[in-house]
Structure formats: structure tokens, C-alpha cells
Amino acid sequence: MTRRNALSLAPPYIVERSLVTLGANLRTARLRRNLTLQEMAEKIGVDRHVVSDAEKGKPSTSIAVYAAMLWVFGMAGQLSQVADPESDEEGKALESARAPKRARRERTLDDNF
Amino acid sequence: MTRRNALSLAPPYIVERSLVTLGANLRTARLRRNLTLQEMAEKIGVDRHVVSDAEKGKPSTSIAVYAAMLWVFGMAGQLSQVADPESDEEGKALESARAPKRARRERTLDDNF
DNA sequence: AGATAATGGTTATTTTAAAACACATAAATT
DNA sequence: AATTTATGTGTTTTAAAATAACCATTATCT
């Protein structure tokens, strides 16, 4: 990430936990396939330590590292399913019929004075 | 990411595409909820451009940004499901009965000389 | 059509993530 | 038990991620 921001300093607990779980999943997948950190790192073109960090759920690691590891496991498609608009029932409900290209801040009462 | 690596320079096409799709999903979810880039950025504590980059699927953006956006949408759990060991049938099949804590490189013939 | 506001793009600056190397620890194999 | 090797931990270096500020463009609303 670089350059300290509120997110990297103190991610919401739920975010932190979801990353730790994701990292653990990736580690399990790697070990099941009997791949070393080094082998995985070479496959995706990064340093061994970066793979290790991802498996620990380090928040500042780039999405590309996670995506590439999934790709090695043949699971790249799972990432595309995340936040899939078709499955986002709440989003569908909220959406007005128009499907706007831009959001527009709601006008509140104290906006006009 | 920082400090040039092969992954950020030229991610595998499938990786690139899965990130673009994920980013598009996040954008759709945001617009449906009528949130501006700025509003999302403030919620998760980053600059507006970082959110924009994530929606474009920029590979070097940190996983925390993606995770935090999902969290805003109430979708943080979806990330933990990715590479879920329970659903990894291939991994289960490959795994030997022991569930090792470390991988071990296969000994090839030309390893011993 | 005009006004307003969201988004895109640029540049400059700051800060740190990842690389690279070395050494320590601990797990797996023989 | 001994050996091998994967993984952990620490430091230094440096390329780039993120910020900030500004202007251009374009979508949305009245």
C-alpha cells in the first residue's frame, strides 16, 4: 500500500478477520498440493516472503498476489464471483430502474440555505 | 506493491481478467447503493483515487481496499469463502492423510549426484 | 439548455511494501 | 537421532502506492 492510511493502520475487525481466513485457506490449498513457498513464489513471480505474508492475511499485500495464487490453484474464477451483481439481492432491490453511471449525493434539508 | 516484480509488470491474463471483473462488480454494487467514490473512500479511510483504481481492477492495489469495500456492502464474508478448504475437492483428493505443516519438494532423479 | 456535481487524468511529493540477502528455527524424512 | 530443508525473522535498499491539489470532462438534475 505505501503511505500510511487509516485502512492499513487499523482495518475494521471484520476485514482483518476475513483476510486472515482467506490467507489460511490459501495456505491449506498450497500444502495440500505439496508446494513450497518458494515454488509458489516462482510460479507467480514474486519473492517467497510475499507469499508468506499473503497467507498470514497481511492487509497491505496487493490483490494481484492473492489472485495469482488462486490462479495457480485453478480458482481464479472464484474471485470474479465475489460481489457478483446477479447474486446481490440487496443491491438489486436498492437500485432504481435506470442503472445510473454515476452516484449522486442525496440532497438533505440543510443542503439548501 | 513497490519494488518491481514480474507479477505487477505482467500478470497472467486470467488474473488480470478476474480482477477487472471483481472491480466491475464492486462498482456496480456501489452505484446501486448510490454512493460516490468520495463517500466510499471516506468510509474506508483512503483516497478517492484508490477506490477508483480498485474498481478498474488495478493489480497493485492492496487487498485491504477490496476487503473494506466488500465490508461496506456487507459482503466481507464472501472473501472468507474463497478457496474454502471444504469446497476444494481437488485439494482434498491430493492431500495425503497426514495434513503436513510444511511442503516438501519432490526428490527428482537429478537431485542426487 | 444550463447548473451542479461526479469522475478522469496529471503532476509532484511522501512513505513504505517488496526485494534481496543472511541467519535462526523447526518440521519432515531417512 | 541426525540430516535436510521449509519457514520465520531481521535489516537494508529502492521502486512505486497513495496522497494532495488542480483542471478537464461528462453525467445527472432542475
Side-chain angles (χ1 to χ4, degrees):
Chain A
M1 187 167 289
T2 277
R3 199 152 225 240
R4 172 176 304 125
N5 63 23
L7 185 56
S8 63
L9 276 175
Y13 177 67
I14 298 186
V15 168
E16 219 165 41
R17 209 161 51 78
S18 70
L19 293 182
V20 169
T21 302
L22 173 57
N25 292 355
L26 291 173
R27 186 179 186 91
T28 299
R30 175 175 64 80
L31 291 176
R32 278 176 169 173
R33 287 159 178 81
N34 199 39
L35 289 169
T36 68
L37 287 175
Q38 184 63 43
E39 288 168 333
M40 172 58 82
E42 282 166 7
K43 275 178 195 290
I44 69 177
V46 299
D47 188 79
R48 165 171 77 86
H49 296 86
V50 175
V51 176
S52 170
D53 286 343
E55 290 184 350
K56 287 176 192 156
K58 189 177 161 205
S60 55
T61 300
S62 82
I63 184 90
V65 173
Y66 289 84
M69 290 175 72
L70 288 169
W71 166 69
V72 169
F73 300 138
M75 300 177 182
Q78 290 191 35
L79 213 54
S80 317
Q81 307 281 2
V82 171
D84 178 43
E86 283 306 311
S87 316
D88 177 18
E89 297 303 331
E90 187 183 330
K92 280 198 232 175
L94 287 169
E95 180 176 42
S96 44
R98 306 167 293 112
K101 287 186 187 155
R102 287 185 180 180
R104 196 87 177 179
R105 211 173 49 209
E106 324 271 0
R107 285 192 68 76
T108 60
L109 285 172
D110 27 60
D111 266 351
N112 37 358
F113 63 93
Chain B
M1 185 167 290
T2 275
R3 204 154 218 240
R4 173 178 302 126
N5 65 21
L7 183 56
S8 63
L9 279 175
Y13 176 67
I14 297 186
V15 169
E16 221 166 38
R17 208 162 50 78
S18 70
L19 293 183
V20 169
T21 302
L22 173 57
N25 291 355
L26 291 173
R27 186 178 184 90
T28 300
R30 176 176 63 81
L31 291 175
R32 278 177 169 172
R33 288 161 178 78
N34 198 37
L35 289 169
T36 67
L37 288 175
Q38 183 63 42
E39 287 169 334
M40 172 59 82
E42 281 166 8
K43 275 179 195 292
I44 69 177
V46 299
D47 187 81
R48 167 171 77 89
H49 293 87
V50 175
V51 176
S52 170
D53 286 343
E55 290 184 351
K56 287 175 190 157
K58 187 176 163 205
S60 55
T61 300
S62 82
I63 183 90
V65 173
Y66 288 84
M69 290 175 72
L70 287 169
W71 166 68
V72 168
F73 300 138
M75 300 177 182
Q78 291 192 34
L79 213 54
S80 318
Q81 307 281 2
V82 171
D84 178 42
E86 283 305 312
S87 316
D88 178 17
E89 296 303 332
E90 187 184 331
K92 279 198 233 176
L94 287 168
E95 180 175 42
S96 43
R98 306 167 292 112
K101 286 188 187 152
R102 287 186 180 180
R104 195 85 177 180
R105 207 172 55 205
E106 322 271 358
R107 285 194 70 75
T108 61
L109 285 172
D110 25 61
D111 266 351
N112 35 0
F113 64 93

